[in-house]
Each structure stands twice: as C-alpha cells, then as structure tokens.
Amino acid sequence: MRNKDFMFWLFLAPVLFALGTVVLLPLIYGIVYSFTDWDGVNAAEFIGVKNYVELFSDQGFLNSLWFTFKFSIASVIVINIMGLGLAMLVTSYIKSKNVLRTIFFMPNLIGGLILGFIWQFIFTKVFDAVGRATGIEWLQGWLSDSQTGFWGMVILMSWQMAGYIMIIYIAYLENVPKDLLEAAQIDGANGWQRFRNITFPLVMPAFTVSLFLTLSNAFKIYDQNLSLTNGGPFDSTKMVAMDIVQTAFQLNQMAEAQAKAVIFFIIVAIISLTQVYINKKKEVEM
Amino acid sequence: MLTKKAFVLSSALFLGLAGCSTAEKKEESSGSSGGGGGDQTVVDIFQFKVEFKNQFEELAKQYEEEHPEVDINVQTVGGGNDYASALKSKFASGDEPAIFNINGAVDVQQYRDRLIDVSDTKAAGAALEGTLESVTEGEQVLGLPYNQEGYGFVYNKQIFEEAGVDADSIKSMEDLTKAVETLDGKKDELGIDAVFAFAGKEKWTEGNHGSNSFIADDFNGSVMEAFQAKELPFTKAEQYKEYIDLQNKYSVQPVLSLDYSQQVEELFSTGRVAMIKQGNWVYPTIEQMDPELAENVGIFPIPVDGETKMPVGVPQYWAVNKNADEEAQKAAKEFLDWLYTSDEGKEAVLTQFKFIPAYEGYDADKIADPLSKTIYEYAEAGNTQGWVFLGYPVGWSDILGAHLQKYLAGETSWEEAIEAAKNDWKKARQ
C-alpha cells in the first residue's frame, strides 16, 4: 500500500494544519511563557524556572492537585462500576432495554454548567427537604462542607459519564460469543464464574478506553466544578483546572498559571500513557 | 463510493467557502478601522456592565445621530473575570478598543502603558471629590468614574415595622444586635425563616464589602494608602468578628452553601428574611421579583465604632487607550464628556442607566430607586466611608473570603483566620 505519497499528505494537510494551529502551537507558546513573568498585558521577561520552583511551595496549588487526585480515583471507580453495571443491565434480557439505553445516555448530552446547577439544586434543596422530612441528618447541609462537596462532585461526574462509558461496554459485551458462555454454563460454571473468567477478560479492551477516558476527563473537569461548588467552601473543592484559570485571570499571574498548566499537562500525559501501556499488555485476543 | 466522493467534494467546497468568507471579513474590518466608510472616526468601546448594555447602545446611537462624523461600536462582555480575560485577549490580538474599563489602582498599574491623561475633559472636572483618587497619578487623571455604588444592610421596611424596629435608630453594633434579637423573637408572627440571609458561599461579599467597613479606618479610608500598604493592621478584627457571628447566628442555614441568588432572589425578594448585607445593585433584581416589595426596601450602613457611615465607591472607570489613533482618542473623550455632562447624557445616566452619579450637577430627585437615593443622600452629606477594598492586593479578597469560610465551617479559630489573611497580604506585597 502506498501511503506516503503526495495524496497522502494532501489529505492529511487540513488535519495537520488544524492540529498544529490549535494544539501544538499554543502548547509551545505556553511552555515558552511559563519561563517568563508575563502578566497577560505587558511585555514578558525571561526569568528561568522561577515559576516552577515557586509552585512547590504554593499550598493552594498542591491542595487542588491532591483534591483532583482523590476526586479522579473515586470517580474512575464509581463511573466504571456504574457504566459496566448499566451495560450488563441493558444487554440482558429485560424488556425496555432500548429505552433504558437512551435514558442512561441522556445526562451526557447536557452541558456541564447546567448539570452543575441542576445538581446544586438537588443537593441543597431536594436532599435538604428529604433530610428534614425523614430526620436523616447526613442528607442535610450538602455542599456546605468539604466532605459533601467532594462527594457531590463525584456523584455529578458519575451521573454524567456513566451513560457514555456504558455505550463503550455495551459494544464489547455484545461481542462476547454466546457459545463460549453457553459452553461454560454446561460445564457447570455459575454466573459469577462466567463473568469473571469469560466476560471480564473479553471486555478488557473496553477498560482501556473507559479508564483512559474517565481518568483524563475527571482530571480536566472545570465547568461542573465551577457551577456546583465554585471551589467552595474555603477552596477545599477547587480542582487544578480551576486553580489555573484563577491564577491566570484573577491574580493576573499568567506565566505562573502557564507553569501550573505545563505541570498539569505532564501529569495527565504520564497517567494516560502508562494506563494505555498497561492495559494494552493485558488485553486478550480472540 | 459515490457518497464518499460527494463528501470529499462538499467538504472541499465548504473549506473553500469558509476560507473566502474569513478573507472577506478581514478586508472589511481593516477597511473600516482605516477610516473607510466616509470620514467617520471609529470609536470602539469595550465595556463590562451587562446590566445596561441595551440602554447604553441606545444612547450611543443617539450620539451618532447628533454627531454623524463619529461611529461608535459598543461591545459588552459580562462581569468580573470574563471581562478581564476578554480584554487581555483583545490586547494580545492587536484589536484594541479605544475606550475600555479599569477598576482603579490595580488596573492602572497593569495597563499603565495604555492609558492617556483625561484631566482635560469636562467630566474629570465635574467628578465628585474623592472619586478620582485611585486613578490619579500626580497631575494626571487616567480614568473617569462610571457611577457610584454603596452597600450596607438592605432591609424589608414592612417586616421592620411589624416587629416595631426602627432602622434609623440603629447606630451601633449593640443596637443592631438588639434589633436582630427582637426580630428573631417574633420570627413566627412575622412569617420569616430567619433574620438574615448570609451568603457565605460568595467569597466576594465579605472579602470585598464586609471587610471594607472594618479595614477602611486602618488606611484612613484611602484606596491609595491601602494600595501601597505592605502590611494590614486589621485593628478592628474583633468588631468584624462580632458582625460576622451575628449574621451567621441569625441566618438561614447552612450559610456556606447559600449563594448570592438564593440570598437576594429566593430569600429576600420573597420576604423570607428581614435583611441582607448587599448594595444598591440588588434593586433591579428585587424589582423584577416583586415590585411591591421593592418599594418597601431601605438600607442602613454597617455600624462600626458606634458610627454609621455609608461605604460609597466607584466600581469601574472608563479609560482611553493610548494605542488608539489620535482622532479616536479625541472622539472618545468627547463622547465620555457628552455622556456625563450634557443634558441628554445626564438624563440617561439617571433614568435609563439608573446610576448613582459620580459627578456634580445632577438632579437627585430623579434617582429612581430608594436604595440609590439613600446612598446619594449619605454621599451628599459627606457621611461616607471610602472603598479601600479596591486597593487590596490582587486576589486577596478571595483569600480573605476563603479564610472566613474556614472559620464559619469551624475548621479554624478567628485569630488563626485573621492571622493567615494578614500573612497573605504581606506575602502579596513583598
């Protein structure tokens, strides 16, 4: 197959051009600016790695980084369990499965900002009313402390992403050969054994995709964070993306924000690449 | 195969079209800024106040009719952070407006290279005393005030009357505490959920406004003194605590998830609380929610040291860009003069924009809403306190707000919170 001739590059050119101008170029610019003292308006001066050194004593940044880690781990677990659970449900023999698929996928179609406001209402109003009516204490006062702020974010994120991840799992679940399952059943394997030894290894590639997607999405989350908690109370639910935006546009420390963004980029890249690498090795080929 | 071909063709066509249209657009815009379309001078205005966007555009049109040689383009990008970042990207892209907004000393420092002296305008001469302080540098005046705003306790007159509390008699923190206790005791009869709605979720309302009342005296009420201060004395921290505790104790709970819209719309405008700490800017919202209730609101200042001074300040200034060509600069100044000193302009400022004017020569009776009127009366009587929070270190008000939230959540003591905030001030001013 000829794939490096003129036509190849011609058809690739628009994509390369777009990628270059909106991804690569800004990335390079960003890295360059992170070594300066640019404030967003006045000309920048080169100051070396000072921004990076200062980051490690910036408690606000470290806190938000730690919070983002915790949040990502919790939401990756919850989303994948929910996604796989929903997928198993709608690929089983229940009736309304097509309707259910649509319904489960729907939250994903709503924008993050709006979702944030909807859930804010649910947490602060509905939860509160139910809590008051039934006397259940832990349902009251949501989002007013860092614990409920954290779980509020996880619930919102899981609710939004689970449907999307479900679709990925469905695709793989439907490709699991029925004869294998049937053979196992005849051999006397129970439900859990069939899931553990046949279904699970065969949907492993779906984990690669799903874990990668959820992890990087959970890491980069911004609008849900903004509308649900806005980092509050006392910045305890402020995620890295929000910290970067605030450093850049509230504190006018554009270059420092760039340095944070570069670190952020490296972390996300490392996590994602390792994960892809590990999962690829584990995949089972039919 | 056929569909594939069609797809490639159509996308090529689409790309081609898109290319053409952007090219055309570019020509067009460069044409007009180069003085095309007759001999019109183009004045690009980039402003942040969404609330009066339509009225302002109307007024600009009116000005164009009277002055056909000037073409005014108004562009509005909403509130706070969005404006700052949008302005920065405007400057970065080279598409610089002739008139833009700055918020006082902090922005003057950042945009210094782009500001021209406007002290020769009529408006600068008519500006009320003190309103130009944070944009004055030696002899030069670098901005013109938008309007004045003031804040304090906005209260529901009807509820106060029913409870037999006279807002005018509240002169000290003790008076306020007594009034609040009276109101709290009659909660059921008055049909209110609580006395206050304390918006603990919003860092700015305490970080900026609340704290200002207790910090202003440290800097003699001067923005510039605050702006240059290396350290914050915070001598009235104890009084500040009393004030925070009082609001927190008698507020709808939990305060840390109570935001501005709940405070103003859901709780105050529906008569579920007796008062909130906010400013005249809440009036349009209350009026929209319940016009009847809106006629019945009043405002009194936060008592400090047994005194009640209204904190009045200028939230934003108009600045003229040095990089705009000279004709545009001249036209920009003329427009701003017309806006604040001509009869048409004055009329619009009062009745259309519903501003509290920051300039002399206005008819105070025309101020429409009761909150603004009270604030203007305080300002006229000189019974005011400066807005020093505009001179806080960049981002410090949010930092203070976060420390206060921590205190309200019971995660830190008052002394620790204040000490941490003072340290952050020192660090920011190093």
Side-chain angles (χ1 to χ4, degrees):
Chain A
M1 191 170 146
R2 314 169 300 147
N3 63 357
K4 289 282 155 72
D5 60 6
F6 174 71
M7 288 306 275
F8 173 77
W9 290 110
L10 183 73
F11 279 100
L12 208 56
V15 179
L16 281 181
F17 177 74
L19 198 72
T21 47
V22 304
V23 177
L24 280 179
L25 215 58
L27 181 70
I28 294 166
Y29 260 104
I31 293 173
V32 171
Y33 273 127
S34 71
F35 294 106
T36 67
D37 64 352
W38 193 43
D39 65 355
V41 180
N42 300 307
E45 216 169 290
F46 189 76
I47 56 163
V49 293
K50 190 160 163 270
N51 285 329
Y52 290 93
V53 175
E54 275 172 6
L55 282 192
F56 292 99
S57 58
D58 183 345
Q59 204 53 46
F61 178 64
L62 296 178
N63 284 346
S64 63
L65 205 57
W66 175 232
F67 181 82
T68 311
F69 264 112
K70 284 195 297 185
F71 168 78
S72 305
I73 292 167
S75 32
V76 163
I77 295 171
V78 176
I79 291 172
N80 279 284
I81 292 177
M82 273 175 69
L84 184 58
L86 293 179
M88 307 256 295
L89 184 73
V90 298
T91 48
S92 66
Y93 296 102
I94 58 165
K95 267 188 182 154
S96 49
K97 62 180 180 188
N98 281 329
V99 180
L100 283 180
R101 279 182 200 198
T102 319
I103 291 173
F104 292 148
F105 188 71
M106 218 111 75
N108 203 56
L109 302 174
I110 310 174
L113 270 178
I114 304 196
L115 267 189
F117 287 123
I118 293 172
W119 276 95
Q120 191 184 55
F121 173 78
I122 297 176
F123 287 136
T124 57
K125 294 276 130 58
V126 180
F127 271 40
D128 205 54
V130 173
R132 260 168 229 270
T134 55
I136 302 172
E137 203 132 292
W138 62 268
L139 279 177
Q140 297 171 26
W142 269 64
L143 303 186
S144 69
D145 58 48
S146 39
Q147 280 299 320
T148 51
F150 174 80
W151 288 109
M153 287 296 302
V154 173
I155 292 171
L156 161 62
M157 180 74 183
S158 311
W159 190 72
Q160 186 182 17
M161 278 288 285
Y164 187 74
I165 297 305
M166 173 192 76
I167 300 285
I168 297 171
Y169 283 124
I170 289 175
Y172 282 84
L173 280 173
E174 293 200 322
N175 278 333
V176 175
K178 294 279 178 294
D179 49 340
L180 272 181
L181 290 169
E182 230 172 80
Q185 198 171 9
I186 292 164
D187 286 345
N190 64 25
W192 168 247
Q193 281 168 327
R194 270 175 306 182
F195 172 74
R196 173 72 193 80
N197 294 314
I198 299 173
T199 315
F200 193 74
L202 284 173
V203 295
M204 204 59 198
F207 274 101
T208 318
V209 184
S210 307
L211 282 179
F212 170 74
L213 270 176
T214 40
L215 193 64
S216 66
N217 270 339
F219 240 85
K220 294 183 297 191
I221 190 170
Y222 174 72
D223 37 1
Q224 291 90 334
N225 193 195
L226 184 75
S227 57
L228 188 72
T229 65
N230 196 10
F234 51 90
D235 290 345
S236 62
T237 62
K238 185 153 93 179
M239 303 237 217
V240 181
M242 186 181 246
D243 188 53
I244 292 170
V245 172
Q246 289 187 350
T247 313
F249 296 114
Q250 276 179 13
L251 302 180
N252 293 335
Q253 293 163 344
M254 206 55 106
E256 215 175 300
Q258 280 294 0
K260 287 179 180 181
V262 170
I263 299 275
F264 184 45
F265 166 74
I266 293 172
I267 294 173
V268 176
I270 290 176
I271 294 177
S272 306
L273 291 176
T274 354
Q275 200 174 35
V276 170
Y277 176 75
I278 295 172
N279 277 301
K280 275 260 190 267
K281 271 171 63 174
K282 273 197 188 157
E283 276 170 22
V284 178
E285 293 280 340
M286 278 297 290
Chain B
M1 198 59 224
L2 219 142
T3 48
K4 230 182 199 171
K5 237 184 205 165
F7 175 69
V8 170
L9 270 175
S10 62
S11 52
L13 197 69
F14 175 72
L15 274 176
L17 276 176
C20 284
S21 64
T22 47
E24 260 168 47
K25 218 174 169 185
K26 236 179 212 155
E27 262 167 42
E28 205 177 48
S29 65
S30 67
S32 65
S33 62
D39 289 326
Q40 280 191 326
T41 314
V42 179
V43 178
D44 289 312
I45 301 183
F46 192 61
Q47 69 97 23
F48 92 110
K49 209 169 175 65
V50 199
E51 295 89 339
F52 83 142
K53 174 177 176 283
N54 294 335
Q55 294 91 321
F56 188 59
E57 279 167 4
E58 279 297 309
L59 192 74
K61 232 179 257 161
Q62 196 186 331
Y63 184 77
E64 281 174 355
E65 274 163 26
E66 285 178 33
H67 304 79
E69 74 285 2
V70 183
D71 177 18
I72 296 187
N73 294 324
V74 181
Q75 222 183 333
T76 305
V77 169
N81 302 321
D82 305 336
Y83 181 74
S85 49
L87 184 62
K88 273 174 202 156
S89 42
K90 276 231 154 209
F91 282 139
S93 72
D95 177 23
E96 304 195 9
I99 300 180
F100 60 97
N101 297 150
I102 54 174
N103 69 7
V106 174
D107 276 358
V108 166
Q109 196 180 34
Q110 199 178 18
Y111 294 104
R112 185 65 191 91
D113 296 343
R114 285 193 167 77
L115 305 175
I116 64 161
D117 181 19
V118 290
S119 59
D120 55 335
T121 57
K122 263 192 278 173
L128 291 178
E129 208 193 313
T131 53
L132 293 175
E133 192 196 351
S134 65
V135 288
T136 306
E137 216 183 70
E139 290 289 293
Q140 297 196 1
V141 175
L142 302 167
L144 293 170
Y146 245 83
N147 61 338
Q148 296 196 89
E149 285 182 345
Y151 61 86
F153 287 113
V154 177
Y155 68 99
N156 186 322
K157 280 184 182 160
Q158 204 187 336
I159 295 176
F160 268 51
E161 254 167 51
E162 278 173 36
V165 177
D166 178 18
D168 293 332
S169 71
I170 297 175
K171 298 282 175 224
S172 65
M173 202 52 91
E174 288 81 57
D175 295 344
L176 180 63
T177 313
K178 244 179 258 162
V180 169
E181 278 165 0
T182 315
L183 286 161
D184 189 62
K186 297 179 181 169
K187 235 167 33 176
D188 293 334
E189 301 156 45
L190 298 170
I192 52 176
D193 293 4
V195 181
F196 291 104
F198 180 37
K201 192 183 176 187
E202 308 290 353
K203 284 183 274 193
W204 56 270
T205 171
E206 275 313 314
N208 285 336
H209 303 140
S211 63
N212 182 78
S213 294
F214 298 89
I215 289 177
D217 283 348
D218 286 344
F219 303 117
N220 304 313
S222 150
V223 186
M224 290 318 279
E225 252 182 69
F227 184 61
Q228 280 145 7
K230 292 265 179 262
E231 282 183 43
L232 169 70
F234 220 145
T235 47
K236 297 201 165 73
E238 273 311 305
Q239 286 191 48
Y240 190 34
K241 178 174 189 289
E242 260 179 72
Y243 148 91
I244 294 263
D245 286 346
L246 182 74
Q247 281 193 80
N248 184 27
K249 188 176 170 194
Y250 294 104
S251 165
V252 174
Q253 298 290 338
V255 292
L256 284 177
S257 59
L258 211 158
D259 64 18
Y260 176 72
S261 80
Q262 282 177 44
Q263 178 191 36
V264 179
E265 293 164 23
E266 198 181 318
L267 296 167
F268 186 79
S269 299
T270 54
R272 283 168 61 189
V273 295
M275 57 178 143
I276 54 176
K277 198 224 77 221
Q278 281 301 347
N280 57 301
W281 51 84
V282 299
Y283 189 79
T285 313
I286 300 174
E287 199 183 19
Q288 262 174 16
M289 295 281 300
D290 187 346
E292 248 172 78
L293 192 143
E295 283 169 27
N296 255 325
V297 295
I299 185 169
F300 64 89
I302 302 164
V304 184
D305 277 345
E307 280 185 299
T308 46
K309 288 183 175 174
M310 184 65 76
V312 174
V314 177
Q316 288 282 333
Y317 293 86
W318 299 104
V320 179
N321 189 353
K322 197 179 243 169
N323 291 1
D325 51 52
E326 249 166 62
E327 258 175 62
Q329 286 180 13
K330 203 168 142 261
K333 284 190 197 172
E334 276 165 12
F335 172 69
L336 291 173
D337 260 349
W338 180 84
L339 175 62
Y340 287 112
T341 58
S342 76
D343 289 339
E344 298 97 318
K346 280 182 186 172
E347 176 79 23
V349 164
L350 284 178
T351 58
Q352 303 293 311
F353 302 173
K354 300 204 167 75
F355 278 175
I356 307 175
Y359 300 89
E360 56 194 32
Y362 280 80
D363 182 6
D365 289 339
K366 280 196 180 156
I367 299 178
D369 75 82
L371 300 183
S372 299
K373 213 168 198 163
T374 311
I375 290 164
Y376 193 72
E377 280 163 16
Y378 271 93
E380 260 189 336
N383 192 11
T384 57
Q385 179 190 44
W387 275 20
V388 300
F389 71 84
L390 294 174
Y392 289 173
V394 180
W396 187 80
S397 57
D398 270 358
I399 293 174
L400 174 67
H403 287 308
L404 293 176
Q405 287 180 337
K406 224 171 181 172
Y407 164 72
L408 289 170
E411 302 238 339
T412 179
S413 73
W414 178 260
E415 286 73 27
E416 279 167 357
I418 295 301
E419 209 43 52
K422 279 161 118 176
N423 278 335
D424 286 327
W425 179 301
K426 218 192 312 185
K427 240 193 298 181
R429 283 283 155 83
Q430 257 168 12

